[in-house]
Amino acid sequence: MSKTQLSFFDTSALGGGSNTLFWGDLPGDRALDEAASLAKEAAAAPVVAPKIDFRLCSTRDLSQGWKARARDNLAAIRLLTELETDGRNATPSEQALLAKFTGFGAGELANSLFPRPGEAFRQGWEEIGVQLETLTSQQERAGLARATQYAHYTPELIVHALWDLVA
């Protein structure tokens, strides 16, 4: 008895071929190609494993309010850039700072920090938006903006309750 597998993508407009839908180029569309070339370069460099694994023993002590969380995200991005430049691992206190990175998927963050072309940052978010532009490349911001579409914030209380249930 042979097994047959049907591919939705090969039999629809989502698959390759002449019937493929094309929505136009979007910022970050070449990210996969660029990531592949970076992966080839990274394969030649030795991989340095972290010397100390980070273990979250309590809460992440997240800041209250979306602007404060955006500032924590910027601090994590700034620190990651420093770690990459120095070619070193994060200390335990730096790991705790990196753990405060929540992403930009919350509506308030996404709508305030990723304006459409020709638009400005939302009023009151200009300073944070300019810092984000300073800390990231246009391609990195496009990737962050794209990630907001499917990012969902889960309150830490729920995460801990589910983890306790599993444990």
Side-chain angles (χ1 to χ4, degrees):
M1 180 175 194
S2 68
K3 294 183 179 180
T4 303
Q5 181 177 357
L6 297 175
S7 172
F8 172 75
F9 294 106
D10 290 340
T11 59
S12 72
L14 297 175
S18 61
N19 293 332
T20 302
L21 294 174
F22 179 71
W23 298 96
D25 289 330
L26 296 173
D29 275 348
R30 292 171 189 79
L32 292 177
D33 295 334
E34 292 174 10
S37 68
L38 288 174
K40 287 178 186 175
E41 292 173 17
V47 177
V48 178
K51 295 189 187 317
I52 301 171
D53 289 334
F54 179 71
R55 293 193 184 268
L56 184 62
C57 298
S58 61
T59 64
R60 291 191 294 170
D61 194 29
L62 296 175
S63 298
Q64 296 298 311
W66 293 118
K67 284 186 182 179
R69 294 225 181 141
R71 287 186 185 97
D72 285 347
N73 285 347
L74 295 177
I77 291 169
R78 191 175 296 112
L79 174 59
L80 184 59
T81 302
E82 177 185 323
L83 293 171
E84 289 175 342
T85 301
D86 294 349
R88 65 179 181 85
N89 298 313
T91 65
S93 62
E94 290 171 332
Q95 289 175 335
L97 191 144
L98 292 172
K100 289 185 175 190
F101 182 85
T102 58
F104 295 95
E108 186 73 17
L109 295 173
N111 294 329
S112 300
L113 295 174
F114 300 103
R116 293 182 181 143
E119 293 181 1
F121 296 109
R122 272 198 182 163
Q123 186 176 359
W125 288 83
E126 298 89 355
E127 176 191 343
I128 296 170
V130 168
Q131 287 181 29
L132 180 62
E133 285 183 340
T134 302
L135 291 171
T136 58
S137 68
Q138 184 176 1
Q139 183 176 0
E140 290 168 332
R141 281 190 308 283
L144 288 170
R146 281 186 151 194
T148 64
Q149 183 178 5
Y150 299 108
H152 302 282
Y153 173 74
T154 303
E156 197 164 353
L157 175 69
I158 293 174
V159 172
H160 282 282
L162 291 172
W163 182 252
D164 290 343
L165 180 66
V166 170

